Amino acid sequence: MDYSAIIVGGGPAGISTWLHLQKYAPQLAESSIVIEKAIFPRDKLCGGGVCIWATDVLTKLKVDVLTSLKVDNNVPSLSVSDLEFRFGKEIDRLHQPNYFRFVKRQDFDHALAKAAVNRGLELHEDEMIIDLFRTQNNLMVTTNKGKYTVQVLVGGDGALSTVRKKMMPFQKRHLAPTFQLIAPSDPDYDSEFNKRKTVVDLTPIKEGLQGYVWHVPCSNGKTDSIAHGIVDFRVWPDRPRPDMKKIFIRELRKRNIHQDPKTWSSHPIPWYSEDDILSQPNVILVGDAAGIEPAFGGGIHLSLAYGEVAAQSIIDAFRTGDFSFQDYTQRIQSHQVGQHISKCTRIARAMYGGKMNPLDGAREVFAPEPDSSTMMRELLSRYLELHPQSSSDPE
Ligand SMILES: Cc1cc2nc3c(=O)[nH]c(=O)nc-3n(C[C@H](O)[C@H](O)[C@H](O)COP(=O)(O)OP(=O)(O)OC[C@H]3O[C@@H](n4cnc5c(N)ncnc54)[C@H](O)[C@@H]3O)c2cc1C
């Protein structure tokens, strides 16, 4: 069977790619499908923090999954306005209304996929890529359910992407190990749920961790819980590797959690580095398959935003007949996605390399961009400082 594009993976990156295709080129979207190896609702290890950038992308797509999650009421999203960053005894706090909405990824991704299906997406669940090979102008895609000929293949198949492995030249990936467990919130030890705040503890950098420990509130609708996690980005791969498990056990004990490490979950966070290859003729990568940022590992917003660049690239390929995707990496790098990853990479190298106070790094990444009215007020007050006579009433 022939399709214009096959998108592999029904996570935020894959679904966003299709939704953007549908927004800008509905006919192309009609002849494109998403193949997903799982059946929704499927699980995905994640802190579930959906930031304002992600909600902006969804709003522009007119996809209201967060509201419908709330209205459904069986899968509430928790709104968090306070972020607390710790580094030893130093603490920095940021406040912005609804900075994050914490969701169960299982429900968020399901709602996103349903929104796309309601707009006409042909979603093939329980179908996975088995083999891929190139013919003269197209690709032959073999799955457990059939064979397809396509002009464009989008790898949105996550951190351990098969599309990347099969279609890109071999490159060692930057995979940050993580551990996460969810425990009931204990008000004697955990203030995050009641205060609706997120804690990012960067103190273990002092022991060589190139990452942090997080404590974020979450809920399954019945139990108030906290997701506790740890990540080591290894942006300085040659430096000694700390014992991540030991650090995490110690941090959990401080909160009276003594669960067997065998009950923890683990999944790598893949980060992008500027020499990574993101395209080949007829093939592009999005989301985790391409790579996210190595300072804090936020990826839902980036994956949603990758989808827009991918869709524009696919549309241009069909318009010009050029399916080389030679400029795809350049498009990513000059888009807000690439610029954000590049800024976070610089910050990660500095703070995990001992050249920057991690609290300054966190502030640079998370402090809300001032809006234009705030900037105007600041400019005006600076002008009045320099020209005090202008503020006096001329009358
Ligand atoms: C522990 C942890 C905590 C995190 N916390 C946060 C957070 O709080 N906030 C945040 O913004 N980001 C967070 N992230 C990052 C975020 O989870 C990812 O960046 C995001 O899920 C990437 O979306 P994606 O669509 O690229 O990939 P995924 O969400 O992984 O989706 C890929 C999809 O492809 C499917 N697939 C895989 N192989 C095949 C195949 N061969 N054929 C067909 N389908 C296939 C999978 O089943 C899956 O549905 C966290 C990550 C980890 C590991």
Side-chain angles (χ1 to χ4, degrees):
M1 194 180 277
D2 287 359
Y3 286 110
S4 299
I6 288 187
I7 300 165
V8 186
I15 296 294
S16 166
T17 304
W18 187 87
L19 284 168
H20 280 99
L21 268 184
Q22 202 269 339
K23 175 177 174 183
Y24 297 122
Q27 281 184 331
L28 207 44
E30 249 178 58
S31 58
S32 303
I33 60 169
V34 171
I35 286 179
E36 166 56 54
K37 73 175 178 186
I39 298 175
F40 287 105
R42 63 97 177 88
D43 209 2
K44 160 75 184 94
L45 182 68
C46 185
V50 179
C51 69
I52 290 172
W53 181 353
T55 46
D56 278 355
V57 179
L58 294 174
T59 306
K60 284 188 192 137
L61 283 169
K62 299 196 170 66
V63 171
D64 209 2
V65 286
L66 286 164
T67 313
S68 59
L69 283 177
K70 258 182 136 177
V71 169
D72 268 349
N73 221 12
N74 49 359
V75 272
S77 68
L78 279 183
S79 173
V80 166
S81 306
D82 291 292
L83 310 185
E84 184 173 301
F85 298 95
R86 299 181 183 164
F87 184 53
K89 291 203 168 105
E90 292 176 77
I91 295 186
D92 192 16
R93 294 188 178 91
L94 287 177
H95 174 86
Q96 191 182 1
N98 301 323
Y99 202 117
F100 277 105
R101 285 178 190 278
F102 282 90
V103 295
K104 252 174 89 186
R105 278 296 299 278
Q106 201 176 343
D107 302 322
F108 177 75
D109 290 17
H110 190 196
L112 204 55
K114 270 199 277 192
V117 169
N118 288 341
R119 285 184 191 181
L121 167 65
E122 189 180 325
L123 172 65
H124 294 209
E125 292 172 79
D126 200 16
E127 179 160 359
M128 68 188 289
I129 295 290
I130 292 177
D131 208 3
L132 299 164
F133 72 90
R134 192 178 298 286
T135 59
Q136 211 169 11
N137 295 314
N138 296 320
L139 292 171
M140 289 291 299
V141 177
T142 308
T143 72
N144 56 334
K145 297 213 170 149
K147 279 190 197 314
Y148 308 93
T149 311
V150 282
Q151 270 173 302
V152 177
L153 183 73
V154 180
D157 49 345
L160 307 172
S161 168
T162 305
V163 174
R164 185 174 181 130
K165 267 183 229 141
K166 287 196 184 279
M167 300 308 286
M168 301 289 147
F170 175 76
Q171 286 185 301
K172 197 169 182 310
R173 285 214 81 182
H174 305 285
L175 295 175
T178 68
F179 294 125
Q180 184 175 274
L181 72 93
I182 295 179
S185 170
D186 178 345
D188 288 341
Y189 294 89
D190 311 310
S191 58
E192 290 80 7
F193 199 94
N194 293 343
K195 294 197 171 160
R196 294 289 194 277
K197 70 173 181 187
T198 284
V199 168
V200 171
D201 192 350
L202 294 142
T203 312
I205 294 177
K206 294 176 194 251
E207 305 166 65
L209 189 78
Q210 295 174 32
Y212 62 95
V213 172
W214 69 85
H215 308 281
V216 304
C218 57
S219 172
N220 60 8
K222 292 182 199 130
T223 323
D224 300 348
S225 307
I226 308 285
H228 307 274
I230 185 168
V231 58
D232 188 8
F233 287 104
R234 311 300 310 151
V235 285
W236 297 100
D238 299 332
R239 297 200 181 172
R241 206 179 262 273
D243 189 337
M244 210 171 130
K245 202 167 161 184
K246 206 166 129 191
I247 297 174
F248 198 39
I249 288 174
R250 186 193 64 213
E251 294 306 310
L252 291 174
R253 285 205 177 132
K254 283 187 200 162
R255 287 176 177 248
N256 200 28
I257 297 170
H258 303 273
Q259 277 186 26
D260 185 337
K262 285 192 197 116
T263 64
W264 302 351
S265 304
S266 178
H267 188 74
I269 295 182
W271 52 272
Y272 170 76
S273 103
E274 60 191 13
D275 42 358
D276 278 356
I277 299 168
L278 300 185
S279 67
Q280 287 289 287
N282 307 90
V283 189
I284 54 177
L285 300 176
V286 289
D288 273 9
I292 59 169
E293 55 90 355
F296 292 92
I300 300 172
H301 49 297
L302 288 174
S303 298
L304 291 171
Y306 262 112
E308 173 156 34
V309 191
Q312 293 291 3
S313 303
I314 296 168
I315 293 164
D316 286 348
F318 278 94
R319 189 176 48 80
T320 60
D322 176 358
F323 291 90
S324 67
F325 290 107
Q326 266 176 344
D327 64 348
Y328 181 66
T329 304
Q330 179 54 42
R331 283 177 184 237
I332 295 288
Q333 285 175 350
S334 51
H335 186 270
Q336 196 187 355
V337 171
Q339 284 169 10
H340 183 71
I341 294 177
S342 159
K343 170 177 149 182
C344 289
T345 307
R346 171 182 58 75
I347 292 168
R349 294 222 163 92
M351 66 181 190
Y352 299 134
K355 295 266 190 285
M356 180 192 245
N357 182 321
L359 299 187
D360 293 338
R363 192 158 265 276
E364 235 191 280
V365 173
F366 289 98
E369 301 276 340
D371 62 25
S372 50
S373 58
T374 315
M375 272 163 28
M376 284 307 288
R377 270 200 306 277
E378 274 174 18
L379 281 175
L380 185 63
S381 73
R382 251 180 259 158
Y383 178 83
L384 291 175
E385 262 170 45
L386 292 170
H387 306 88
Q389 66 280 18
S390 333
S391 62
S392 55
D393 189 343
E395 302 292 298

